[in-house]
Amino acid sequence: MDSDHSGSGDEGNGATPDEAVRQRAVAVVQRILDGAYDGEAELYAHLDWLEQVLRCRYVSDLIFWPDVPPSAQEVVRQALSFGPAIPRPRGCPPDRTNIRR
């Protein structure tokens, strides 16, 4: 899968993703749940995109450390329910606290 996660183009303005972007997010989460990505770089690209369009910095927790095994739709629903994340300060590197070392 390529890393071009095209969407509505409104992802950066604080708006809730439109239905097409939500469906794309569900598909990307399903790929992650299925392990259908080529290595860590692609996985991180998927997670970064999901964080951006869903505006949820905890999307990896919802995927990898859930209370119960999630469906892709449930991950996206929960991520959207958190509301907009507090933006990182300019120049702050991406949060990688939950990445295996």
Side-chain angles (χ1 to χ4, degrees), residues 4 6 8 16 20 22 24-25 38 40 44-45 47 52-53 60 69 72 81 98 100-101:
D4 176 26
S6 56
S8 68
T16 301
R22 190 193 66 74
R24 177 70 175 148
D38 294 325
E40 288 184 4
Y44 298 151
L47 291 172
Q52 180 183 4
V53 299
S60 65
S81 74
N98 291 325
R100 287 191 261 174
R101 307 239 181 246

Side-chain angles (χ1 to χ4, degrees), residues 13-55:
N13 68 3
T16 301
D18 65 19
E19 184 61 20
V21 174
R22 190 193 66 74
Q23 288 178 2
R24 177 70 175 148
V26 168
V28 171
V29 171
Q30 189 62 56
R31 287 184 63 89
I32 293 170
L33 290 171
D34 293 343
Y37 49 86
D38 294 325
E40 288 184 4
E42 186 176 8
L43 171 61
Y44 298 151
H46 289 326
L47 291 172
D48 288 344
W49 181 81
L50 287 166
E51 285 181 8
Q52 180 183 4
V53 299
L54 299 176
R55 301 191 47 80

Side-chain angles (χ1 to χ4, degrees), residues 68-81:
V68 296
S71 68
Q73 293 85 2
E74 183 64 14
V75 168
V76 172
R77 187 197 64 73
Q78 287 181 358
L80 290 172
S81 74

